[in-house]
Amino acid sequence: MTGSGSTWGGERLDLDAYLARIGYAGDRRPTLETLRALHAAHSDAIGFENVEIVLGRPIPLDLETLQAKMVRQRRGGYCYEQNLLYAAALERLGFRVSGLGARIRMGDDKVRPVTHALLKVELDGADWITDVGFGGEALLAPLPLRDGVEDRQGAWTFGLIREQETGAWVLRSLHEDGWFDLYAFGTEQRFPVDYTVFNHYISTHPRSPFTGRIVAQKPGSGLRRTLVGRELARTRPDWSRDVREVAPEEIPALLDAEFGITLSAADAEALVATYEE
């Protein structure tokens, strides 16, 4: 909490509608079991997507817009949208939740700006990271913020290390050839206003990976799905992949069937039209 109001707007969340959207009907007490179940349910229900950016629209981060888009319209979102909605739900349920910011690595040690949002939850004196907005290689469950931890989630293995030289925490995924760095983050607390600034950059800058082509992703316990531009890929735990190019007119139905992202007829038509520009 900050001041007399909440940090994440949990009091303005239609909690019943959110929980129905993610298919969660379990315990609402702020326990680790509840956190695990909420993370899994949200990840399974709400896909990662940047359709609004591709259509040249702004990405508002106020809770009312997030609820309208991801809960009522059954759309997806990218990290700021998803984790801000998720944070509001956690706050409403009584969790002690704070925001963090990460630098994307994806196997590269190049220093990039802080452009990713994730969350930290304090439970019984221990800290956990929880992140439902990273896309195809996202965590499927919370991870204890502890150096050297490894966790099997579905068919995938994740780990956390604390880098001695930088002091940064690094989230890693175990690939067939060893550990693969996903992103690095510090423990400086971030607030919605910080994400508003980051969001403006990542949704408008021409060098952003999200401004020039559609990106839709869905993690799963045994299969990861990714659509980038016109390339649809399905990755299995043994790292075998099915890849195919899809026709623009296929994409709206594919988004619904593969990623659980439901577009209106007008948005579907507008999205297909972007491939002809």
Side-chain angles (χ1 to χ4, degrees):
M1 299 288 184
T2 57
S4 59
S6 70
T7 299
W8 307 103
E11 77 284 353
R12 303 195 310 277
L13 178 72
D14 185 341
L15 183 61
D16 290 340
Y18 168 77
L19 295 178
R21 169 73 169 96
I22 66 172
Y24 180 79
D27 191 353
R28 297 191 182 190
R29 291 174 298 174
T31 65
L32 180 57
E33 291 72 23
T34 301
L35 181 65
R36 289 185 187 278
L38 288 169
H39 185 138
H42 183 120
S43 293
D44 188 58
I46 303 180
F48 182 105
E49 53 113 326
N50 69 334
V51 172
E52 297 298 292
I53 297 173
V54 173
L55 295 179
R57 299 170 181 167
I59 306 296
L61 296 182
D62 62 280
L63 187 59
E64 289 69 28
T65 299
L66 299 178
Q67 291 186 91
K69 180 184 180 187
M70 290 182 282
V71 176
R72 293 195 290 275
Q73 297 170 28
R74 304 189 71 80
R75 287 280 303 278
Y78 73 157
C79 70
Y80 307 117
E81 298 171 286
Q82 295 220 35
N83 279 324
L84 281 168
L85 179 66
Y86 180 47
L90 294 178
E91 182 181 68
R92 177 69 175 272
L93 290 166
F95 287 96
R96 296 186 62 179
V97 57
S98 56
L100 302 175
R103 301 179 191 275
I104 302 300
R105 288 195 175 174
M106 294 306 289
D108 189 353
D109 60 4
K110 177 182 178 182
V111 177
R112 294 183 172 92
V114 175
T115 57
H116 179 63
L118 67 150
L119 303 175
K120 183 182 74 172
V121 171
E122 183 184 336
L123 274 170
D124 300 323
D127 290 335
W128 296 75
I129 61 166
T130 184
D131 181 0
V132 295
F134 191 59
E137 207 157 344
L139 291 169
L140 299 176
L143 201 60
L145 189 59
R146 189 170 68 244
D147 190 18
V149 70
E150 296 181 12
D151 192 33
R152 183 85 167 174
Q153 300 185 357
W156 319 96
T157 299
F158 294 92
L160 264 182
I161 60 168
R162 185 80 179 270
E163 286 186 336
Q164 295 299 317
E165 62 272 25
T166 66
W169 291 92
V170 181
L171 177 67
R172 308 190 298 175
S173 174
L174 187 59
H175 285 202
E176 57 183 340
D177 57 352
W179 287 107
F180 181 87
D181 290 358
L182 298 174
Y183 57 70
F185 61 95
T187 55
E188 177 186 351
Q189 188 172 355
R190 309 286 183 165
F191 298 93
V193 67
D194 297 314
Y195 295 145
T196 298
V197 175
F198 303 158
N199 173 60
H200 176 72
Y201 169 84
I202 207 70
S203 65
T204 62
H205 197 282
R207 293 181 61 184
S208 165
F210 301 123
T211 54
R213 59 188 179 179
I214 188 169
V215 178
Q217 301 176 329
K218 193 77 177 291
S221 61
L223 184 69
R224 289 168 171 165
R225 299 175 174 88
T226 302
L227 174 68
V228 179
R230 291 176 57 183
E231 183 180 280
L232 174 68
R234 297 183 182 93
T235 304
R236 301 179 189 87
D238 64 0
W239 301 101
S240 62
R241 302 174 79 230
D242 294 329
V243 181
R244 73 176 180 94
E245 187 171 291
V246 298
E249 59 270 19
E250 290 182 74
I251 289 176
L254 185 150
L255 287 173
D256 189 43
E258 296 278 350
F259 302 93
I261 295 165
T262 306
L263 300 182
S264 68
D267 284 351
E269 182 179 354
L271 180 61
V272 171
T274 66
Y275 285 84
E276 302 168 356
E277 293 176 354

